[in-house]
Amino acid sequence: QVQLVESGGGSVQAGMSLRLSCAASGYTDSSYNMAWFRQAPGKEREGVAAIHENGKDTGYSASVKGRFSISKDNAKNILYLQMNSLKPEDTATYYCAADLYSGSWYLWSLAPEYRYWGQGTQVTVSS
């Protein structure tokens, strides 16, 4: 059973940085497409960033491109999201996701496409 546990959330002021971590366990191997999603109250879950199972290809939503960076440490089975220049609109619960059902990379931003999910970590950015 794959388990994903997020950490690193918190409350910061606009312009500051945070790094989220997602520790994965129960893997048979490290070759999963993985992603970060976020959900603000009253809004749909939004794909923020993803990293291909090859560890090289990445994808970002337009709202975070240039500010956020996704990376993965395969040896430790940890997924990271470095968030810089945070804005109040980045406030949300952030979720880690793994394993696209279809394996189709172009679907990386669609929440229903992922098999495994973490419980989420709260990020609050004040102005």
Side-chain angles (χ1 to χ4, degrees):
Q1 181 71 21
V2 174
Q3 290 187 324
L4 304 173
V5 179
E6 302 94 336
S7 62
S11 297
V12 296
Q13 291 188 325
M16 295 183 70
S17 299
L18 280 175
R19 188 177 78 160
L20 304 183
S21 299
C22 171
S25 61
Y27 273 30
T28 55
D29 61 57
S30 62
S31 298
Y32 284 135
N33 296 304
M34 298 190 73
W36 288 98
F37 283 76
R38 67 185 181 187
Q39 189 167 20
K43 294 189 176 181
E44 292 188 357
R45 194 165 293 192
E46 172 194 15
V48 173
I51 186 164
H52 195 278
E53 60 185 8
N54 64 20
K56 298 178 181 179
D57 296 329
T58 56
Y60 295 93
S61 68
S63 60
V64 307
K65 196 169 186 178
R67 299 188 297 122
F68 290 12
S69 178
I70 189 171
S71 60
K72 185 169 63 167
D73 184 332
N74 286 333
K76 297 181 179 179
N77 280 342
I78 299 178
L79 180 73
Y80 298 103
L81 184 68
Q82 178 66 43
M83 305 186 295
N84 299 327
S85 303
L86 282 162
K87 303 176 181 180
E89 50 264 44
D90 294 320
T91 295
T93 300
Y94 282 71
Y95 298 90
C96 171
D99 194 15
L100 286 165
Y101 280 111
S102 67
S104 299
W105 173 243
Y106 73 95
L107 299 176
W108 73 261
S109 65
L110 302 181
E113 294 294 323
Y114 286 86
R115 190 185 309 272
Y116 303 112
W117 289 89
Q119 293 301 306
T121 185
Q122 178 67 34
V123 172
T124 303
V125 184
S126 58
S127 58

